[in-house]
Amino acid sequence: MTVLHPKLKAICPVAQLQQQPFTTRNITLKNQPASALVFWFDGSAYSYVNHCMHMHRPLNCEQDAIFDETGNYLRCSMHGFIFDPKTGECQSPVCLGQRLQALRLQEHEGMLYFAEKHLTLLD
Ligand code: FES
């Protein structure tokens, strides 16, 4: 039997994440308050700090959505910048090559956890 590391923070069951477009969690990262985006894409779970590098807004600030109409790219609802869901890399000219900050995840027995050392889960 695998023993879970005590620093892992439970997010939700993987099956639950697979059935919703995304979820968010309030966290602190290195003692700074932040929001985390968590979503299922192309067979895997991904998480990023919910902070667009363009004008420092959450991707879902204007709309309760984080994907563009194709479902292939993350899209900030403020000015429409798009990001690669697998790398967080911005595909829009102004921020081309910059990346959303990725958060490490771990799956264990159907449950999804944050596996970041300096992350505290607030809700
Ligand atoms: S704040 Fe995200 S695209 Fe402008």
Side-chain angles (χ1 to χ4, degrees), residues 39 46-49 51-53 59 74 82-91 95-102:
F39 57 90
Y46 294 88
S47 181
Y48 297 99
V49 174
H51 184 102
C52 178
M53 65 279 293
L59 271 64
L74 297 174
I82 58 171
F83 304 85
D84 182 331
K86 293 185 177 179
T87 64
E89 190 172 324
C90 187
Q91 310 292 304
C95 300
L96 191 65
Q98 294 184 47
R99 287 173 193 248
L100 299 171
Q101 184 176 353

Side-chain angles (χ1 to χ4, degrees), residues 22 24 26 34-37 48-66 75-81 83 100:
F22 71 101
T24 58
N26 291 316
S35 165
L37 282 176
Y48 297 99
V49 174
N50 190 8
H51 184 102
C52 178
M53 65 279 293
H54 178 221
M55 286 193 173
H56 313 293
R57 306 289 175 88
L59 271 64
N60 58 330
C61 63
E62 291 290 308
Q63 204 180 329
D64 189 25
I66 60 164
R75 178 181 178 275
C76 179
S77 58
M78 191 70 204
H79 305 106
F81 284 25
F83 304 85
L100 299 171

